[in-house]
Amino acid sequence: MGRPCSSCRFVFSLRLRRLVLAWCCVLAASLQATAQRDDAPPPGQVEVRVGVILNLTSSIGQRRRVGIEMALEDYYAAHPGSRTRVTPRFRDSGGQVVGAASAAVDLIKNEQVQAIIGPATSAEADFAAYLGNSAHVPVLSSSATSPDLSPAHTPFFVRTAANDSFQAAPVAAVLATFRWHAAVIVYEDSPYGSGILPALADALQGVGARIMERTAVPADASDDRIDAVLNRFMAMPTRVFIVHVNRFFAPRFFRRARSAGMMSEDYAWIVTDGVGSVVDALSPDEINAMEGVVSLRPYVKMTDEVRNFSARFRARLRRVSPSADVYAHDPTILMLWSYDTVWAIATAAEAAGVSSPAFQMPKQSSALTDLGRLGVSTTGAALLKAVHETTFRGLAGNFTLVDGQLQPPAYEVVNVIGKGARPVGFWTPEAGISQALDANAAKGLKPSVIWPGDATSPPRGWVVSANGHKLRVAVPVKRGFKEFVGVQRDSANGAANVSGYCVEVFDAVIRKFMPYPVSYQYVPYEDSSESYDELVSQVAEQKADVVVGDVTITASRMAAVDFSMPFTDSGWAMVVSVRRETSTSMWIFLQPLTTSLWLASLAFFCFTGFVVWAIEHRINPEFRGTPWQQFGLIFYFAFSTLVFSHKEKLESNLSRFVVIIWVFVVLILTSSYTASLTSMLTVQKLQPTVTDVRELQRGGYHIGYQEGSFIKTSLHKMGFDMTKMKSYSTVEEYADALSRGPANGGVAAVFDEIPYLKLFLSRYCDGYSMVGPVYKTDGFGFVFPLGSPLTPDVSRAVLTMAEREEMAQIEKKWFGEPGACPSEQGGSAAVGSSNLSFRSFGGLFLITGVVSGLMLLIYLATFFYREHGEVGRAAEEGGSGSSSVRRLRAWLRHFDHKDLKCPTFKTWNEESIREGSQTRRWVDDTVRNGRSGGANSAVPAGDEEAISMSPFSISAGSEMINAGSSLASEIETSFEQRMQEAPHSLEMTTHFVENGDA
């Protein structure tokens, strides 16, 4: 038999290949059917289809698939009686946005899934989130962390991971811990990279840190492009960098940084959790490239459940994929979040009682794309609500969703060193950065942090000069006021010799109070006399590094540069000439005391007189009499103390104590009044010629200002005519213009800043005064570029220097003794004293008021205690009226009578009662002499004194003789009534003697 022809062999080969291909298709269909039968839920359970979109070609995708399968097995092993069963539908995105979108469309349209887990990246999840929102299919992602992807915009998107914006606060806290005030941000040019920028900018601003530059680098950037970015960073003084890139790009970026010499001392690198969360899964070469980096990652407590799952996960990964790399720290936080996500969707499906998949398909339409023909899930809304309400203790911590995203409890700060990451601190919203998760833990990071270049001390965060050159310090060249800044040229070599108050302050700040050396050189700026704004712009235009001089801090200048803390007084005002005058007013005697002090003195005069009268009224005859006499005595006695001419003898120690204190107060008042009045009558005052800015505007006077000052613009804004303004450069020109006045070609006032006016008044103390309001500015400050790290350090040094003697000594050296000129204090300068106010003597009035009131209360309390029984009986025998009125009337009558128990009256009464015969003999002699009518009748000397006493004595004697009388009868009649009844008492006494028993 012959050999077959070539055509026959070709046909046979073709048929064989077709047969093999058909057999493979049948085998694939059989395997798919078997897989579907394995995935199908057992009888009695409702199937819940969940799509899973992963990059199955990557090792991370393979790990996540293993974790998801293990999560489903663990859940249903723990819940064997579940009514629902989640069956996953895996799709491969290939790591592409288009692949992820195609997979999502396929899952919703063909599989009619009721939820989707994934995709992995923020860019892939963006389209899937909008697709799920349209089809009402919840999309859960445990790795799409960009803040741009927000559940607020797509309600059916659920982020089961930490939003990247959450780590902005711990990043800023790390900068604040080391007092880094400026940083450069490097981020991946993708939705994942740019989403964190708004939150990071706000957080850094909150701790006083400035973003010097933001640089986006594509994840596929070439090494040359990365080198160009790094070279630009090296030319900047900032040495703190915040890096937000994915874990694949980070190692390559830091290899280029190490090659450029930027992984050395003085550099600080802070990396977000895109690297920190997977640092344990990096290779030794990748970790070596990032040694010294500080990173963040969400904190996961290592529980027994986590350890058990980790061991099982590594064992299963070796079985499923023997070629896959298995790390000692597998799984990462992303794997744990994926595990918890599966538990959340399974728990929510059970809680919501989800039924079989059901979609409401759109009506017949002309839609030509798959998107237009997608239906709407009828179970999606219930499942989404159940997911939001699901809470449990997962492997990564408490699973709780707030506003559709997971809330991490804390962040762990790790240091990339050695073979992996070493924890060096923690961050919580309540405690900030601390060394442990303990309320009593020390603040800050652990001192064991190793920085780039194997440095153990934290980097300063910036360098004075990136190229190593000296700082260019620009100084103004002034024609006057060289006490502040003076520039003199050396005639031999033309070198500039810079001196002055501002220069010496800057030198002292840099050399004595800065914590590190700073090299600089002064560069005179010749065109500064016209306007200091041009001088300040030298820093903004990078033509100078610092400006030192009498540069005022203003809001407009701060928009372009930074200023240190001011080192001089703030504000600006005007100085005018003064004229001398002496007051000749006829009412000048009233001026030493203010109205309040006059009224207070009058009130206390009356009060003191009343207190003395009240205490002495019942026991002292000199404080008795008619009501008008007693009223006049109150004022007379108090005012007589003004010249210490009071003659009334005081009987009570209480009133004596009141008068002693009051006399002391009067002594101080009269002495102060005399001194002030003498000063007003004899000393001249310096009265300013102009006291108000509005007076200058109304009069149209010429005014002056310093050449090159910003005050010219401020005066124009206040309404002054530009043609009425004159510029001057020296204090001598100020004095000449003010002395000539506006009528002779001068000015009525000169406006300038307080330091200049103080210098002028220290030179010309006589004849000029600072008047009017002080318009606020922030004083003089040193000028730095925006965001310069020198600014806060120099400001702290200025404050430290101001608290010591160095600042005062420098000021005294250049401006003389402070306060040497009275006019320097401003206002209407007067050599004489000002009037006295009540505030100056408030303490004295308080003392005398308290003492007088206390003595009066003591007296009244004693009076009520001693006399209440007798007054009560008198009130019961009183007339008509209520009991209260009768008692009040009785008390008033009793207070008006003399106190016969007091020593003043008691001594005579007791002797009269004890020696009644002597009283009777005195009366007999008196009557006998009266009856004899002889002019020569002799009266004993002792009796003459008795006769010379007031009629009160005669009346009292007759009452003592009269039977049945008592001392109480004396209380019933007032002293004034007895004075009127004295003659009648004498007649009654005579009649009694004549008709009685001898």
Side-chain angles (χ1 to χ4, degrees), residues 509 661 740:
V509 165
I661 301 299
R740 287 188 287 117

Side-chain angles (χ1 to χ4, degrees), residues 440-745:
N440 300 322
K443 298 298 182 181
L445 298 179
K446 296 179 181 179
S448 59
V449 178
I450 303 299
W451 301 95
D454 293 332
T456 56
S457 58
R460 191 168 62 232
W462 59 276
V463 292
V464 175
S465 177
N467 52 18
H469 296 164
K470 292 182 177 181
L471 293 179
R472 297 164 297 171
V473 180
V475 293
V477 178
K478 301 174 66 68
R479 287 195 285 265
F481 292 98
K482 294 186 177 181
E483 291 83 358
F484 291 93
V485 180
V487 179
Q488 295 180 351
R489 295 286 183 179
D490 192 340
S491 58
N493 53 17
N497 182 20
V498 181
S499 62
Y501 169 72
C502 300
V503 174
E504 190 164 343
V505 169
F506 184 76
D507 290 339
V509 165
I510 298 298
R511 295 173 184 173
K512 296 182 180 180
F513 297 96
M514 289 291 285
Y516 44 82
V518 178
S519 179
Y520 60 94
Q521 62 180 358
Y522 289 110
V523 180
Y525 183 71
E526 300 291 344
D527 299 329
S528 57
S529 59
E530 294 297 329
S531 173
Y532 271 23
D533 291 337
E534 294 294 330
L535 174 63
V536 172
S537 66
Q538 297 297 303
V539 173
E541 297 171 2
Q542 299 183 357
K543 297 179 180 179
D545 299 314
V546 187
V547 169
V548 171
D550 47 346
V551 182
T552 304
I553 303 172
T554 61
S556 59
R557 293 171 179 172
M558 290 190 70
V561 295
D562 279 347
F563 282 89
S564 69
M565 292 292 294
F567 57 90
T568 62
D569 295 334
S570 61
W572 57 280
M574 67 176 178
V575 64
V576 299
S577 59
V578 296
R579 59 176 180 268
R580 302 180 182 274
E581 69 174 22
T582 303
S583 178
T584 56
S585 173
M586 63 181 294
W587 302 104
I588 191 174
F589 69 92
L590 295 175
Q591 295 180 8
L593 306 184
T594 60
T595 304
S596 60
L597 185 54
W598 278 116
L599 296 176
S601 301
L602 178 61
F604 274 90
F605 270 111
C606 299
F607 178 67
T608 304
F610 170 77
V611 172
V612 173
W613 170 84
I615 297 175
E616 295 287 332
H617 177 66
R618 301 187 70 246
I619 62 175
N620 195 336
E622 296 187 8
F623 285 84
R624 302 188 64 82
T626 64
W628 279 109
Q629 290 175 332
Q630 297 179 61
F631 184 76
L633 182 62
I634 292 174
F635 289 94
Y636 169 76
F637 178 81
F639 282 93
S640 64
T641 59
L642 189 62
V643 292
F644 308 103
S645 62
H646 47 286
K647 302 300 182 181
E648 291 77 10
K649 181 181 178 182
L650 301 180
E651 299 293 341
S652 173
N653 288 332
L654 298 178
S655 59
R656 290 169 184 166
F657 187 58
V658 170
V659 172
I660 289 173
I661 301 299
W662 174 245
V663 168
F664 175 72
V665 174
V666 169
L667 175 63
I668 296 178
L669 277 176
T670 54
S671 300
S672 302
Y673 175 84
T674 303
S676 181
L677 181 60
T678 302
S679 175
M680 291 181 176
L681 290 173
T682 58
V683 182
Q684 290 181 332
K685 288 184 178 180
L686 301 177
Q687 189 68 22
T689 55
V690 179
T691 59
D692 191 5
V693 174
R694 290 186 294 272
E695 183 179 350
L696 293 172
Q697 294 175 334
R698 289 193 300 266
Y701 297 115
H702 284 84
I703 58 175
Y705 64 93
Q706 185 182 167
E707 183 182 30
S709 174
F710 72 97
I711 294 179
K712 177 181 179 181
T713 304
S714 300
L715 291 173
H716 181 62
K717 292 179 180 179
M718 292 173 60
F720 284 98
D721 188 357
M722 297 288 287
T723 60
K724 299 291 184 179
M725 301 183 193
K726 297 182 178 181
S727 63
Y728 300 100
S729 301
T730 64
V731 292
E732 292 77 14
E733 292 179 357
Y734 281 11
D736 178 67
L738 289 171
S739 61
R740 287 188 287 117
N744 298 316

